[in-house]
Amino acid sequence: MLLSQSEPMPDHPTPQQGRAALTDDAERNRLLAEMAEQSTDMISRHTPGDWRFIYASPAVTHLLGYSVEEIIGLSAYDLYHPDDVEDFKKRAPSVSYERGLYTHTYRFRCKDGHYTWLESTSRSLRDADTGELIEILVVSRDASRRIKAEQANRRMARVLEISSDLVCFANPDGHITYLNEAARQTLGCEHPELTDLQLGALFPAHGYQQLTGQALPAAGEQGRWRGEIELWSQARQRPIPVMLELLAHRSLDGRIDYYSLVARDLSGQKAAEAAQRQHQAELSHATRLISIGEMASGLAHELNQPLTAINNYVQGILRRIDLQPPPTLDELRPPLERIGRTSLRSGEIIHRMMDFARKSEPQRLPQPLPAIVDELLDFCQYSAKRHNVQLSQRLPAELPAVIADRVQLEQVLLNLLINALEACSRPEQQTPLQVWLDASAAGNDQVIIRVCDQGPGLPDSDSEQLFEQFVTTKPEGLGLGLAISRSLIEAHGGQLWAENRIDGGACFCFTLHSDQPASGQPPETPSQEN
Ligand code: ADP
């Protein structure tokens, strides 16, 4: 073995020292050889120049698949990965001639042909007297796991860096240790040094309160917290709504090592939702006006009656004033009082129409169904007459109030009633068809409201299609009523569906939450008969 040749030999030893040194050397060589044989690191010796193996410890079999005998005589250059060999050739002189000790990481070909990562420390061994390079001693270990972990880390870091989600790592004391590019840009934290930045700087006051009061304690207990929260954007000078995923990462001893925060910017989504709500509200108001337009001829008629009556009373009074003797004031009082009452009624009709056409911010409150339904049926009576339809309500005496925005609830009922009236329209027939409205309390604190008719019923094909926008079978139809009604009901947490009645006609049903707690009754499901 030449292992000891790297050690400088003492100058001119005494014979006694010489014997002791020899014994020590022999013993040390034996121990080193034994360690080399048993080490899981591969120890190898190479010729200078072509780096042929002149010795390899048995670990070579585990690392590269060769037996010791097979690898002896092979040149290391033949086993380097082609991409690494040039690099090694450049560096080899520094091992052989310069510093004498060199560590590097490279790919080496195993016996089965695949490449494995090795990390080797090489040392040149020189003749103590002449300084001549005798051989190179190399200790190599498997670096595949480390290299793979480093590659995975680099990949992960790249992914984090280009992710559109905002990513942040923070120590348990709130010090921020990392912000990815999206976070730096969105939050306007272009600090070259993040060491001074605290988590508090990323949140507006109320957001930080939510973080410290709710999110961090929950993550501490359950490992994670997920929820909507607001971050503070220095760049935009305003809060940004985000969906935050907060994880508490623990070390082996169970202490929280650090927190990771991954936030998805919800600004776009919130803006789109607001725009959608606005659009919905405008569309909804527009169709409401259209519905009122459809009522207009009925209302004109309704208004015409009291106006005619007022005119008749006035004409009567004028005629009587011309008589001799003229009427007393007491005689004029009754027709004047009737004029007053009738004009009030006209005012009410106009008021009701304006009420239906109003635009207001949605407000969900308990609404008494019978009162709303009565008013609505009253409103639709003239339209019903025009279509020759008998309109009624069959609400049970006891019915919990429903939680709804009144204007929107009226609009859904109005849409469904107008459709039902149009479906039953038979102006020429003697016996009118019927349209009625009923409701019942169901389980799960819900009320089901139904608008039923004796019309032709739903088309045989998919009745769900009717709820799509712009689907209409009417020459003047817009195909918006059902689509809008469904989205209004769904926004209330209810459902709207249509079914055919067994004895003819259609029934449009919807659910709304009632203001009474669940009764324990099983929920009613869509059925065939109503
Ligand atoms: P529009 O009334 O403008 O056509 P809707 O969305 O309110 O738009 O209705 C879509 C279609 O659904 C109607 O054109 C009609 O074919 C069908 N429909 C709605 N209500 C009824 C009903 N009560 N009976 C039969 N068909 C109906």
Side-chain angles (χ1 to χ4, degrees), residues 415-416 419-420 422-423 453 455-459 466-468 471-474 476-483 506-508:
N415 285 345
L416 300 182
N419 276 345
E422 287 175 347
D453 65 58
L458 305 170
L466 303 179
F467 292 92
E468 282 170 23
V471 171
T472 181
T473 53
K474 303 172 193 167
E476 312 270 290
L478 285 179
L480 286 174
L482 289 179
C507 186
F508 284 76

Short mmCIF file of all heavy atoms in Angstrom, two decimals, residues 415-416 419-420 422-423 453 455-459 466-468 471-474 476-483 506-508, ligand 1:
data_model
loop_
_atom_site.label_atom_id
_atom_site.label_comp_id
_atom_site.label_asym_id
_atom_site.label_seq_id
_atom_site.Cartn_x
_atom_site.Cartn_y
_atom_site.Cartn_z
N ASN A 415 -92.34 37.03 -13.20
CA ASN A 415 -91.89 36.32 -14.41
C ASN A 415 -92.68 35.03 -14.59
O ASN A 415 -93.15 34.71 -15.68
CB ASN A 415 -90.41 35.96 -14.31
CG ASN A 415 -89.52 37.17 -14.51
OD1 ASN A 415 -89.98 38.20 -14.98
ND2 ASN A 415 -88.26 37.05 -14.14
N LEU A 416 -92.80 34.26 -13.50
CA LEU A 416 -93.46 32.96 -13.59
C LEU A 416 -94.96 33.13 -13.86
O LEU A 416 -95.55 32.37 -14.63
CB LEU A 416 -93.23 32.15 -12.31
CG LEU A 416 -91.77 31.84 -11.97
CD1 LEU A 416 -91.67 31.01 -10.71
CD2 LEU A 416 -91.07 31.12 -13.12
N ASN A 419 -95.49 34.14 -17.52
CA ASN A 419 -95.34 32.96 -18.38
C ASN A 419 -96.57 32.07 -18.30
O ASN A 419 -97.06 31.58 -19.32
CB ASN A 419 -94.12 32.15 -17.94
CG ASN A 419 -92.84 32.70 -18.54
OD1 ASN A 419 -92.89 33.48 -19.48
ND2 ASN A 419 -91.70 32.28 -18.00
N ALA A 420 -97.07 31.87 -17.07
CA ALA A 420 -98.22 30.99 -16.89
C ALA A 420 -99.45 31.59 -17.58
O ALA A 420 -100.21 30.88 -18.24
CB ALA A 420 -98.48 30.77 -15.40
N GLU A 422 -99.48 33.61 -20.09
CA GLU A 422 -99.32 33.52 -21.55
C GLU A 422 -99.55 32.09 -22.03
O GLU A 422 -100.11 31.88 -23.10
CB GLU A 422 -97.94 34.03 -21.95
CG GLU A 422 -97.87 35.56 -21.84
CD GLU A 422 -96.48 36.14 -22.11
OE1 GLU A 422 -95.51 35.37 -22.15
OE2 GLU A 422 -96.39 37.36 -22.26
N ALA A 423 -99.10 31.11 -21.19
CA ALA A 423 -99.30 29.71 -21.59
C ALA A 423 -100.78 29.34 -21.59
O ALA A 423 -101.21 28.46 -22.33
CB ALA A 423 -98.53 28.80 -20.63
N ASP A 453 -100.14 25.97 -13.70
CA ASP A 453 -101.11 26.40 -14.72
C ASP A 453 -101.72 25.20 -15.43
O ASP A 453 -101.28 24.07 -15.25
CB ASP A 453 -100.44 27.36 -15.71
CG ASP A 453 -99.34 26.70 -16.51
OD1 ASP A 453 -99.62 25.70 -17.21
OD2 ASP A 453 -98.17 27.17 -16.44
N GLY A 455 -101.99 25.17 -18.73
CA GLY A 455 -101.59 25.38 -20.13
C GLY A 455 -101.11 24.09 -20.78
O GLY A 455 -101.34 22.99 -20.27
N PRO A 456 -100.39 24.21 -21.90
CA PRO A 456 -99.99 23.01 -22.67
C PRO A 456 -98.87 22.22 -22.00
O PRO A 456 -98.55 21.12 -22.44
CB PRO A 456 -99.49 23.61 -23.99
CG PRO A 456 -99.07 25.00 -23.63
CD PRO A 456 -99.95 25.45 -22.54
N GLY A 457 -98.27 22.76 -20.95
CA GLY A 457 -97.18 22.05 -20.27
C GLY A 457 -95.84 22.31 -20.95
O GLY A 457 -95.76 23.07 -21.93
N LEU A 458 -94.82 21.64 -20.43
CA LEU A 458 -93.45 21.88 -20.92
C LEU A 458 -93.20 21.06 -22.17
O LEU A 458 -93.83 20.01 -22.36
CB LEU A 458 -92.44 21.47 -19.84
CG LEU A 458 -92.65 22.15 -18.50
CD1 LEU A 458 -91.78 21.51 -17.43
CD2 LEU A 458 -92.32 23.64 -18.62
N PRO A 459 -92.27 21.50 -23.01
CA PRO A 459 -91.96 20.69 -24.21
C PRO A 459 -91.41 19.33 -23.79
O PRO A 459 -90.83 19.19 -22.70
CB PRO A 459 -90.88 21.53 -24.91
CG PRO A 459 -90.37 22.47 -23.88
CD PRO A 459 -91.46 22.69 -22.90
N LEU A 466 -85.07 25.44 -21.14
CA LEU A 466 -85.86 26.67 -21.01
C LEU A 466 -85.19 27.68 -20.09
O LEU A 466 -85.46 28.87 -20.15
CB LEU A 466 -87.26 26.35 -20.46
CG LEU A 466 -88.09 25.35 -21.24
CD1 LEU A 466 -89.42 25.12 -20.56
CD2 LEU A 466 -88.31 25.87 -22.66
N PHE A 467 -84.30 27.17 -19.21
CA PHE A 467 -83.64 28.06 -18.24
C PHE A 467 -82.39 28.71 -18.82
O PHE A 467 -81.74 29.50 -18.15
CB PHE A 467 -83.29 27.29 -16.97
CG PHE A 467 -84.53 26.87 -16.19
CD1 PHE A 467 -85.11 25.64 -16.40
CD2 PHE A 467 -85.09 27.74 -15.28
CE1 PHE A 467 -86.24 25.27 -15.70
CE2 PHE A 467 -86.23 27.39 -14.57
CZ PHE A 467 -86.81 26.14 -14.79
N GLU A 468 -82.05 28.30 -20.05
CA GLU A 468 -80.88 28.95 -20.66
C GLU A 468 -81.29 30.31 -21.22
O GLU A 468 -82.44 30.49 -21.63
CB GLU A 468 -80.32 28.07 -21.78
CG GLU A 468 -79.52 26.92 -21.20
CD GLU A 468 -79.16 25.89 -22.24
OE1 GLU A 468 -79.13 26.25 -23.44
OE2 GLU A 468 -78.93 24.74 -21.84
N VAL A 471 -83.51 31.37 -24.74
CA VAL A 471 -84.33 30.27 -25.25
C VAL A 471 -85.79 30.70 -25.08
O VAL A 471 -86.24 30.97 -23.98
CB VAL A 471 -84.07 28.96 -24.46
CG1 VAL A 471 -85.09 27.90 -24.85
CG2 VAL A 471 -82.66 28.48 -24.72
N THR A 472 -86.48 30.82 -26.21
CA THR A 472 -87.88 31.25 -26.15
C THR A 472 -88.67 30.57 -27.26
O THR A 472 -88.12 30.23 -28.30
CB THR A 472 -87.98 32.79 -26.29
OG1 THR A 472 -89.35 33.17 -26.21
CG2 THR A 472 -87.39 33.31 -27.59
N THR A 473 -89.98 30.37 -27.02
CA THR A 473 -90.82 29.84 -28.09
C THR A 473 -91.83 30.90 -28.52
O THR A 473 -92.71 30.64 -29.32
CB THR A 473 -91.59 28.59 -27.60
OG1 THR A 473 -92.26 28.94 -26.39
CG2 THR A 473 -90.66 27.42 -27.36
N LYS A 474 -91.66 32.10 -27.94
CA LYS A 474 -92.64 33.16 -28.24
C LYS A 474 -92.08 34.11 -29.31
O LYS A 474 -90.90 34.47 -29.24
CB LYS A 474 -92.94 33.96 -26.97
CG LYS A 474 -93.46 33.09 -25.85
CD LYS A 474 -93.55 33.85 -24.56
CE LYS A 474 -93.76 32.90 -23.41
NZ LYS A 474 -93.56 33.50 -22.11
N GLU A 476 -92.39 37.20 -29.70
CA GLU A 476 -91.86 38.45 -29.13
C GLU A 476 -91.00 38.20 -27.90
O GLU A 476 -90.62 39.15 -27.21
CB GLU A 476 -93.03 39.36 -28.69
CG GLU A 476 -94.12 39.53 -29.72
CD GLU A 476 -93.85 40.71 -30.62
OE1 GLU A 476 -93.95 41.83 -30.14
OE2 GLU A 476 -93.51 40.48 -31.81
N GLY A 477 -90.73 36.92 -27.61
CA GLY A 477 -90.05 36.59 -26.34
C GLY A 477 -88.58 36.95 -26.34
O GLY A 477 -87.93 37.05 -27.40
N LEU A 478 -88.05 37.18 -25.15
CA LEU A 478 -86.61 37.49 -25.01
C LEU A 478 -85.85 36.26 -24.52
O LEU A 478 -84.65 36.16 -24.67
CB LEU A 478 -86.42 38.60 -23.97
CG LEU A 478 -86.76 40.01 -24.39
CD1 LEU A 478 -86.52 40.94 -23.22
CD2 LEU A 478 -85.89 40.42 -25.57
N GLY A 479 -86.55 35.34 -23.89
CA GLY A 479 -85.89 34.14 -23.34
C GLY A 479 -84.97 34.46 -22.18
O GLY A 479 -83.94 33.83 -21.99
N LEU A 480 -85.32 35.46 -21.40
CA LEU A 480 -84.47 35.84 -20.26
C LEU A 480 -85.14 35.59 -18.91
O LEU A 480 -84.47 35.43 -17.90
CB LEU A 480 -84.11 37.33 -20.35
CG LEU A 480 -83.09 37.70 -21.40
CD1 LEU A 480 -82.94 39.21 -21.48
CD2 LEU A 480 -81.74 37.07 -21.08
N GLY A 481 -86.47 35.56 -18.92
CA GLY A 481 -87.21 35.51 -17.65
C GLY A 481 -86.80 34.35 -16.77
O GLY A 481 -86.48 34.54 -15.58
N LEU A 482 -86.77 33.13 -17.33
CA LEU A 482 -86.47 31.96 -16.51
C LEU A 482 -85.01 31.94 -16.08
O LEU A 482 -84.69 31.60 -14.94
CB LEU A 482 -86.81 30.67 -17.26
CG LEU A 482 -88.32 30.42 -17.45
CD1 LEU A 482 -88.55 29.13 -18.22
CD2 LEU A 482 -89.04 30.36 -16.10
N ALA A 483 -84.11 32.35 -16.99
CA ALA A 483 -82.68 32.36 -16.65
C ALA A 483 -82.44 33.33 -15.50
O ALA A 483 -81.75 33.01 -14.52
CB ALA A 483 -81.86 32.77 -17.87
N ALA A 506 -98.20 23.06 -16.56
CA ALA A 506 -96.84 23.08 -16.01
C ALA A 506 -96.85 23.64 -14.60
O ALA A 506 -97.81 24.29 -14.18
CB ALA A 506 -95.96 23.95 -16.89
N CYS A 507 -95.79 23.35 -13.90
CA CYS A 507 -95.64 23.89 -12.56
C CYS A 507 -94.19 24.33 -12.39
O CYS A 507 -93.27 23.53 -12.59
CB CYS A 507 -96.01 22.80 -11.56
SG CYS A 507 -96.04 23.42 -9.91
N PHE A 508 -93.98 25.58 -12.08
CA PHE A 508 -92.63 26.08 -11.81
C PHE A 508 -92.50 26.25 -10.31
O PHE A 508 -93.33 26.92 -9.68
CB PHE A 508 -92.40 27.41 -12.54
CG PHE A 508 -92.16 27.21 -14.01
CD1 PHE A 508 -93.21 26.92 -14.87
CD2 PHE A 508 -90.87 27.26 -14.52
CE1 PHE A 508 -92.98 26.70 -16.23
CE2 PHE A 508 -90.63 27.04 -15.87
CZ PHE A 508 -91.69 26.76 -16.73
P1 ADP B 1 -89.80 34.27 -22.64
O1 ADP B 1 -91.03 34.31 -21.78
O2 ADP B 1 -89.32 35.61 -23.08
O3 ADP B 1 -89.90 33.28 -23.78
P2 ADP B 1 -88.65 32.81 -20.45
O4 ADP B 1 -87.23 32.53 -20.10
O5 ADP B 1 -89.50 33.38 -19.38
O6 ADP B 1 -88.61 33.73 -21.74
O7 ADP B 1 -89.33 31.45 -20.93
C1 ADP B 1 -88.65 30.62 -21.84
C2 ADP B 1 -89.61 29.64 -22.48
O8 ADP B 1 -90.06 28.70 -21.50
C3 ADP B 1 -90.87 30.24 -23.01
O9 ADP B 1 -90.66 30.80 -24.30
C4 ADP B 1 -91.79 29.05 -23.05
O10 ADP B 1 -91.55 28.26 -24.20
C5 ADP B 1 -91.34 28.22 -21.87
N1 ADP B 1 -92.26 28.40 -20.71
C6 ADP B 1 -92.11 29.24 -19.69
N2 ADP B 1 -93.14 29.13 -18.82
C7 ADP B 1 -93.95 28.20 -19.32
C8 ADP B 1 -95.21 27.62 -18.88
N3 ADP B 1 -95.81 28.01 -17.77
N4 ADP B 1 -95.76 26.66 -19.68
C9 ADP B 1 -95.16 26.27 -20.81
N5 ADP B 1 -93.99 26.75 -21.27
C10 ADP B 1 -93.40 27.71 -20.54
#
